[in-house]
Amino acid sequence: MYPTGFFIVLLIILFIFITVKSTTDAWKRSIANNFPPGPRPLPLIGNLHLLDLRRPQKTFIELSKKYGSVFSIQLGMKKMVVLTGYETVKDALVNHPDEFGERAHIPILEDINNGFGFSHGENWKIMRRFTLLSLRDFGMGKKTIEDKIREESQFLTKYFQSHDGKPFDVTNIMNFAVANIIISIVLGHRFDYHHPTLLMLTQIVTENLRLTGTPMVNRYGFTDKRVGSFIIHGYTQLYNIYPALIFLPGNHKTVHQNIKDMHSFLRKTFLTSRIELNSDDKRNLLEAFLIKEKEEKTNPNSYFHERNLLCVVTSLFTAGTDTTSSTLRWGCLLMMKYPDIQRKVQEEIDRVIDSEQPRTGHRKLMPYTDAVIHEIQRFGNILPLGLARETTVDTNFKGYFIPKGTHIIPLLEPVLYDKTQFAKPEEFNPQHFLDSEGMFVKNEALMNFGAGRRICIGQSLARMELFLFFTSLLQRCTLELPPGVTHIDLSPSVGFTTPPKPYEICALPRC
């Protein structure tokens, strides 16, 4: 009889042989089927050994130089297609909206939403339609929501001024101010900046977005950004690539617990709202949903139930807080970096608005300020990977065959830095959105809200917030570096979104 160890070694060798052969065969089939080209994958890990896991977009950009604007990459055993450059991304999302219109099935998001909220198929369509109508009913694009933002901008400006020109960190306060707008739409009221509920909600949003794109605490002292560090430390991405490893400790468990905590708060809020519900007086999005739920109570196929409500509200908090807050933080940092640009914005504010409180109607009279805000969005590049899609049918695109259900990465960074669309993409330059006469010019390559069927439902709200918050702050304050600080770090934080790294600011009163 052979010793047990011999059989174990034999099984390991056999497993490796089968894995190598299946990987090689799959790669050859991809070539034969005219699947987009890409680097040859290794068994089990695919192309993870090539990937800069902190800045994967950088790896994708380098690979596109070799393989073109449509190429494939394999993470673990999952093949993906990466789209780069304005023309290619636009062609896919705008000209082929149905083929590239599905949201990618990502394990961590599937676990959180379980197919509800803004997920897939008919559920997504109905929840999106309801949310759009509700946002319009409760003020998106109207004076009612503008008044809420103007009121909140006053609270934000007073907070800046309260430091009397002394240094302070802007991260939390920006999150609080922007979150209050979504909260007022969903729940019908705002929270004081010191309210523990506001702190809890914004901390959950911030931590989850950070954890979905960063490593766990490095307990072993390794600093390698590639696959070795990836496997040793445990990433949420590791769970997304190998979901069978759900039993291992990692960031994905913290993300799940954070969502449970948020849902626990929301359920209590729902209960209170149900008790106070008046079907003849819908005061906010939550009450509108609960009324719809009540109306369809006898319909077993209704989409208006608690699970959908939880997922919709959670998504609105997440998307509606972090992106706008991060953009405003980039704005403050860039105004300190480029004081001449800040001064020109303030001159236009003084000329057009004077001492009046800013209104959205002022924007069309302020082309330079509008251009600066758009350039902040472009340069800040807070969602460099874009939002992952999935093909809904077998698709022939740019001469390649892409099967149904293929994970698509519409890479946003090369779009925002496309030299064919922006004269000096590596520079912060408001002239990218101005013509020779100084008038504002829209550029379709600014796809920071996405494009196609799944374009962000809150884009008009975000634009209104950015203009009113930004102009209100620069109307009342001049933003400067703290004493003794001479260097401004423009490298972004690591996470699902990429806000600037934490920094301190001095807000000197102007009037």
Side-chain angles (χ1 to χ4, degrees):
M1 295 181 64
Y2 294 99
T4 303
F6 173 80
F7 286 107
I8 293 175
V9 172
L10 186 63
L11 286 172
I12 292 173
I13 293 173
L14 183 62
F15 173 75
I16 293 174
F17 173 78
I18 293 173
T19 303
V20 171
K21 188 176 186 308
S22 63
T23 302
T24 302
D25 290 346
W27 184 66
K28 289 179 178 178
R29 285 196 300 271
S30 295
I31 296 175
N33 293 335
N34 201 30
F35 193 70
R40 185 168 182 167
L42 296 178
L44 291 180
I45 66 170
N47 300 124
L48 280 173
H49 62 296
L50 302 177
L51 209 60
D52 181 340
L53 292 158
R54 291 179 178 271
R55 313 280 185 203
Q57 68 272 18
K58 302 301 182 185
T59 303
F60 294 154
I61 291 171
E62 288 303 310
L63 289 173
S64 71
K65 295 176 182 177
K66 179 177 181 180
Y67 295 104
S69 63
V70 182
F71 67 92
S72 62
I73 191 166
Q74 184 170 318
L75 303 183
M77 302 300 290
K78 188 174 184 63
K79 283 187 172 294
M80 304 178 182
V81 171
V82 182
L83 309 178
T84 65
Y86 169 65
E87 294 297 339
T88 297
V89 173
K90 177 188 176 183
D91 193 10
L93 303 187
V94 178
N95 299 336
H96 298 81
D98 294 329
E99 295 93 325
F100 293 91
E102 181 60 280
R103 173 178 173 174
H105 288 73
I106 300 173
I108 189 71
L109 298 180
E110 294 300 305
D111 287 351
I112 290 172
N113 296 320
N114 197 27
F116 298 113
F118 306 119
S119 53
H120 313 285
E122 194 65 20
N123 198 95
W124 163 68
K125 292 179 182 178
I126 291 175
M127 290 301 102
R128 180 183 175 87
R129 189 182 308 122
F130 163 80
T131 305
L132 274 171
L133 290 174
S134 296
L135 288 175
R136 290 168 185 164
D137 288 343
F138 298 112
M140 191 168 75
K142 299 179 182 179
K143 190 175 185 301
T144 49
I145 192 62
E146 178 180 351
D147 288 343
K148 291 180 185 295
I149 300 171
R150 294 176 73 198
E151 178 188 25
E152 194 65 42
S153 67
Q154 289 184 309
F155 287 111
L156 180 63
T157 301
K158 288 178 181 177
Y159 180 88
F160 270 58
Q161 293 175 324
S162 69
H163 289 81
D164 297 323
K166 296 177 182 177
F168 65 98
D169 189 298
V170 301
T171 304
N172 284 340
I173 193 62
M174 285 298 193
N175 287 338
F176 295 162
V178 176
N180 261 337
I181 303 303
I182 293 296
I183 290 169
S184 66
I185 293 172
V186 174
L187 304 181
H189 61 83
R190 68 178 297 276
F191 287 111
D192 181 83
Y193 291 153
H194 299 290
H195 199 288
T197 299
L198 183 60
L199 179 62
M200 180 270 293
L201 292 174
T202 53
Q203 281 183 337
I204 285 176
V205 168
T206 301
E207 185 174 40
N208 276 4
L209 288 170
R210 178 179 59 82
L211 291 180
T212 52
T214 55
M216 295 171 63
V217 175
N218 185 337
R219 293 176 294 173
Y220 301 97
F222 294 95
T223 58
D224 180 21
K225 298 178 183 179
R226 298 183 184 271
V227 66
S229 179
F230 180 83
I231 293 174
I232 290 172
H233 306 315
Y235 280 64
T236 303
Q237 294 100 316
L238 180 62
Y239 168 61
N240 284 333
I241 296 169
Y242 305 105
L245 300 180
I246 189 172
F247 61 89
L248 292 178
N251 292 335
H252 60 283
K253 293 189 178 294
T254 304
V255 171
H256 284 142
Q257 185 57 53
N258 283 341
I259 294 297
K260 287 181 180 179
D261 292 343
M262 178 176 279
H263 286 181
S264 176
F265 160 74
L266 291 175
R267 283 192 177 95
K268 294 176 183 177
T269 305
F270 298 167
L271 180 61
T272 303
S273 296
R274 283 191 176 97
I275 294 172
E276 301 173 352
L277 194 61
N278 181 352
S279 299
D280 297 324
D281 183 21
K282 294 182 291 186
R283 296 171 297 179
N284 51 63
L285 183 143
L286 172 58
E287 291 185 356
F289 192 102
L290 294 176
I291 289 171
K292 195 75 174 175
E293 179 187 46
K294 186 177 179 181
E295 291 172 351
E296 298 193 9
K297 190 174 182 179
T298 58
N299 179 6
N301 299 317
S302 174
Y303 290 91
F304 292 89
H305 48 72
E306 184 177 89
R307 186 61 184 171
N308 258 335
L309 180 54
L310 287 169
C311 291
V312 165
V313 173
T314 300
S315 295
L316 288 174
F317 276 140
T318 302
T321 298
D322 182 80
T323 52
T324 303
S325 171
S326 294
T327 303
L328 287 169
R329 286 155 56 197
W330 274 116
C332 291
L333 188 64
L334 288 164
M335 291 304 96
M336 292 193 296
K337 175 75 172 178
Y338 300 101
D340 289 345
I341 293 177
Q342 179 180 192
R343 184 166 55 253
K344 289 180 181 178
V345 171
Q346 290 175 326
E347 288 172 356
E348 189 172 64
I349 290 172
D350 294 343
R351 183 173 65 255
V352 176
I353 303 177
D354 193 18
S355 59
E356 182 185 352
Q357 190 180 1
R359 294 179 286 104
T360 54
H362 289 129
R363 179 164 50 189
K364 61 185 178 182
L365 304 174
M366 303 172 65
Y368 188 79
T369 300
D370 206 6
V372 169
I373 293 172
H374 280 73
E375 180 67 355
I376 291 168
Q377 292 176 273
R378 185 197 71 82
F379 190 85
N381 181 29
I382 62 172
L383 199 64
L385 292 175
L387 294 176
R389 306 292 185 95
E390 195 171 282
T391 48
T392 58
V393 293
D394 291 347
T395 304
N396 288 296
F397 182 71
K398 298 290 186 181
Y400 299 109
F401 174 73
I402 305 176
K404 176 183 178 180
T406 300
H407 191 116
I408 305 294
I409 301 176
L411 202 62
L412 191 57
E413 182 165 314
V415 176
L416 300 181
Y417 285 73
D418 194 320
K419 292 181 180 179
T420 68
Q421 302 299 314
F422 301 101
K424 300 177 180 179
E426 301 300 326
E427 297 180 11
F428 179 75
N429 184 6
Q431 292 300 132
H432 288 142
F433 297 92
L434 293 169
D435 64 16
S436 58
E437 297 179 355
M439 300 306 295
F440 177 78
V441 177
K442 186 178 181 180
N443 191 321
E444 297 295 339
L446 186 66
M447 290 185 175
N448 53 308
F449 292 108
R453 291 175 59 195
R454 287 190 175 261
I455 193 168
C456 175
I457 61 176
Q459 60 175 315
S460 62
L461 173 63
R463 289 194 178 103
M464 187 185 294
E465 289 178 293
L466 290 173
F467 178 77
L468 293 176
F469 281 129
F470 185 73
T471 53
S472 295
L473 285 174
L474 292 192
Q475 181 187 43
R476 302 297 180 186
C477 303
T478 295
L479 310 181
E480 294 185 357
L481 288 170
V485 177
T486 57
H487 173 69
I488 293 180
D489 184 3
L490 293 181
S491 59
S493 296
V494 175
F496 180 74
T497 58
T498 53
K501 292 177 180 177
Y503 62 88
E504 288 193 329
I505 191 172
C506 291
L508 305 182
R510 297 188 68 222
C511 53

